[in-house]
């Protein structure tokens, strides 16, 4: 098998896969593409004439025929392999003999079907200083954009095939740089979503445009709002998507001469209950006395609280601290986003002699609003009550109830 770089910084480079080879900026098959990891992937010839491909934990991952790898796969030749901003192709040493009635090909677990046979790729055109060269009739360049929505428990792939003839359009490019090929959304639809509340991150991944069309950078937007207008990689992570929201993404390829060509895909993130939000971090809690044996009903105060949950996502137990006091307690998650907890320490009262009192604080509250923060579904507000009991020998036992309303600080 022969592995050849078809596009990218190392276009034309080739190596024979006759032993296990590492691929990367410091691999056996060395690439200068800065978006490729130092040790990006490895290929190993098998006894049946095929090649085993594995990703070595690269930063951007490895994509074969539009499908991102999540484990080793066996290749048969003809596959398009995306690593960083480079596209590589695995070629058989000699073209296979085709019989009149070819047998069905069985694809095992972890294998990737080869790309459909077609004419050999045309060499890149020579640079032109002035007038762009017209392509031969029927010749098309393609930009394949694979959009992958990663939701922890599952990943869903979308492929948008793009194409157009190579003829330059008026005003496209500059100084002989060809215009980007027009993109055509062929209506690829998302499959079923599977999700875990640990993250709602959406990862967009696409194949790099050939350098001969004058690619400069990409622009990514969601629901008409630009997320990044200077993307140089072929992947983008959106950690602000909301559960249950329709997400309309657009990736625009921008040419060095200013020509732009968009590709778009729409997905709907799965819904998740507010009750499943994680209660964590600092909070500003407004407190108002609703009942008291000290004749101070209606008094208000504001305190900062902090929560440290025992998990990284979802409703779970934890500890809470009421700042500017000595109260520390444990909170327990219950059904429906409700929490109860008990804390101990010096709180808001002193006894009849002016001395600090050790108090018991009982809290009960429910999460009312949630949002996504850095890919995690977290609580944004809660409401409930706090009961305070302060006992001191020789003084009356103070009992007060507060209504509490909290927002993330």
């Amino acid at each position: 098998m022969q592995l050849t770089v078809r596009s990218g910084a190392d276009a034309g480079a080739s190596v024979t896969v006759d032993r296990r080879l590492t691929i990367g900026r410091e691999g056996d098959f060395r690439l200068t593409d800065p978006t490729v990891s130092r040790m990006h992937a490895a290929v190993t010839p098998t006894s049946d004439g095929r090649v085993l491909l594995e990703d070595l934990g690269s930063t951007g991952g490895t994509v074969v025929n539009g499908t991102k790898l999540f484990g080793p796969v066996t290749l048969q030749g003809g596959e398009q392999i995306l690593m960083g901003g480079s596209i590589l192709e695995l070629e058989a040493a000699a073209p296979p003999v085709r019989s009149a009635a070819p047998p069905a090909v069985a694809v095992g677990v972890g294998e990737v079907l080869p790309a459909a046979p077609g004419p050999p790729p045309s060499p890149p055109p020579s640079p032109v200083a002035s007038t762009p060269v017209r392509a031969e009739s029927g010749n098309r360049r393609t930009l394949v954009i694979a959009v992958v929505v990663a939701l922890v428990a599952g990943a869903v792939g979308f492929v948008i095939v793009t194409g157009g003839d190579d003829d330059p359009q008026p005003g496209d490019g500059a100084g002989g740089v060809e215009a980007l090929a027009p993109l055509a959304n062929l209506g690829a639809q998302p499959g079923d979503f599977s999700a875990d509340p640990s993250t709602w991150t959406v990862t967009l991944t696409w194949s790099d445009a050939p350098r001969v069309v004058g690619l400069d950078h990409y622009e990514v937007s969601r629901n008409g709002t630009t997320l990044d207008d200077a993307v140089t990689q072929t992947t983008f992570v959106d950690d602000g998507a909301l559960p249950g929201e329709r997400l309309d993404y657009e990736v625009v390829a921008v040419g060095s001469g200013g020509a732009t060509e968009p590709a778009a895909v729409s997905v709907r993130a799965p819904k998740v209950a507010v009750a499943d939000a994680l209660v964590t971090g600092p909070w500003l809690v407004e407190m108002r006395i609703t009942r008291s044996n000290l004749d101070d009903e209606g008094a208000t105060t504001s305190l900062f609280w902090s929560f440290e949950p025992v998990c990284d996502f979802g409703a779970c137990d934890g500890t809470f601290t009421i700042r500017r006091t000595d109260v520390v307690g444990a909170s327990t998650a219950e059904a429906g986003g409700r929490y109860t907890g008990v804390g101990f320490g010096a709180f808001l009262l002193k006894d009849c002699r002016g001395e600090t009192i050790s108090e018991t604080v009982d809290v009960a509250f429910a999460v009312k609003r949630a949002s996504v923060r850095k890919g995690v579904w977290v609580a944004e507000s809660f409401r409930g009550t706090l009961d305070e009991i302060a006992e001191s020998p020789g003084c009356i036992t103070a009992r007060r109830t507060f209504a509490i309303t909290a927002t993330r600080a």
Side-chain angles (χ1 to χ4, degrees):
M1 291 282 190
Q2 197 78 5
L3 188 62
T4 303
V5 181
R6 292 302 182 196
S7 70
D10 305 279
S14 182
V15 67
T16 300
V17 184
D18 55 2
R19 57 187 174 86
R20 186 178 190 275
L21 298 172
T22 56
I23 307 168
R25 300 199 316 274
E26 298 179 5
D28 299 319
F29 185 32
R30 186 164 296 183
L31 303 179
T32 62
D33 184 346
T35 64
V36 172
S37 296
R38 291 186 300 107
M39 289 291 181
H40 197 106
V43 288
T44 306
T46 62
S47 59
D48 58 359
R50 296 186 290 179
V51 169
L52 184 70
L53 171 67
E54 55 183 319
D55 186 89
L56 299 179
S58 64
T59 302
T62 302
V63 178
V64 177
N65 290 347
T67 301
K68 188 171 184 178
L69 297 191
F70 292 95
V73 296
T74 302
L75 308 181
Q76 304 178 77
E79 292 84 1
Q80 298 285 319
I81 305 168
L82 173 66
M83 298 182 187
S86 299
I87 298 177
L88 296 79
E89 182 177 1
L90 184 66
E91 302 174 285
V97 178
R98 302 179 65 87
S99 61
V105 179
V107 182
V109 176
E111 295 185 359
V112 177
L113 282 174
S122 303
S126 301
V128 180
S130 56
T131 305
V133 178
R134 293 179 60 89
E136 293 180 1
S137 175
N139 181 27
R140 292 177 179 269
R141 291 195 179 91
T142 61
L143 167 60
V144 179
I145 297 184
V147 183
V148 180
V149 181
L151 296 171
V152 175
V156 185
F158 312 92
V159 178
I160 301 175
V161 180
T162 69
D165 50 37
D166 286 333
D167 292 347
Q169 302 297 320
D172 288 345
V177 178
E178 297 183 38
L180 295 177
L183 309 184
N185 183 0
L186 299 186
Q189 296 297 317
D192 295 332
F193 282 97
S194 178
D196 188 304
S198 60
T199 183
W200 306 104
T201 298
V202 177
T203 300
L204 305 176
T205 304
W206 59 90
S207 297
D208 204 359
R211 295 297 170 184
V212 294
V213 300
L215 175 70
D216 185 74
H217 65 277
Y218 298 97
E219 297 176 354
V220 180
S221 64
R222 172 184 14 97
N223 297 346
T225 299
T226 299
L227 301 179
D228 196 329
D229 61 2
V231 179
T232 57
Q233 307 295 320
T234 56
T235 186
F236 182 82
V237 177
D238 177 14
D239 59 8
L242 293 176
E245 184 181 47
R246 177 185 173 86
L247 308 171
D248 296 322
Y249 288 100
E250 184 178 65
V251 177
V252 178
V254 181
S256 56
T260 60
E261 296 291 350
V265 68
S266 296
V267 300
R268 183 176 293 279
K271 293 182 178 179
V272 60
V274 170
D276 291 333
L278 180 69
V279 178
T280 184
W283 294 76
L284 174 61
V285 181
E286 304 289 344
M287 306 176 58
R288 180 175 59 85
I289 299 174
T290 58
R291 186 172 56 197
S292 173
N293 63 349
L294 302 179
D295 296 327
D296 54 3
E297 293 181 13
T300 62
T301 189
S302 298
L303 292 174
F304 284 98
W305 295 25
S306 61
F307 286 84
E308 295 184 12
V310 298
C311 64
D312 294 326
F313 66 90
C316 62
D317 299 346
T319 59
F320 67 90
T321 301
I322 303 179
R323 301 178 189 176
R324 291 196 303 172
T325 75
D326 296 327
V327 173
V328 177
S331 58
T332 302
E334 301 180 348
R338 292 185 293 273
Y339 288 77
T340 58
V342 179
F344 302 94
F347 191 42
L348 298 178
L349 292 176
K350 292 186 177 181
D351 66 10
C352 55
R353 293 177 292 274
E355 299 176 354
T356 300
I357 307 173
S358 180
E359 304 179 44
T360 300
V361 170
D362 290 284
V363 297
F365 62 86
V367 177
K368 296 300 180 181
R369 188 166 54 87
S371 70
V372 173
R373 287 185 180 234
K374 295 183 178 179
V376 179
W377 185 235
V378 296
E380 291 289 349
S381 69
F382 65 74
R383 291 199 300 267
T385 59
L386 179 148
D387 292 320
E388 173 190 23
I389 301 175
E391 297 180 305
S392 180
C395 303
I396 65 171
T397 297
R399 301 179 184 274
R400 299 194 293 186
T401 297
F402 294 80
I404 59 176
T405 302
T407 55
R408 285 184 62 88

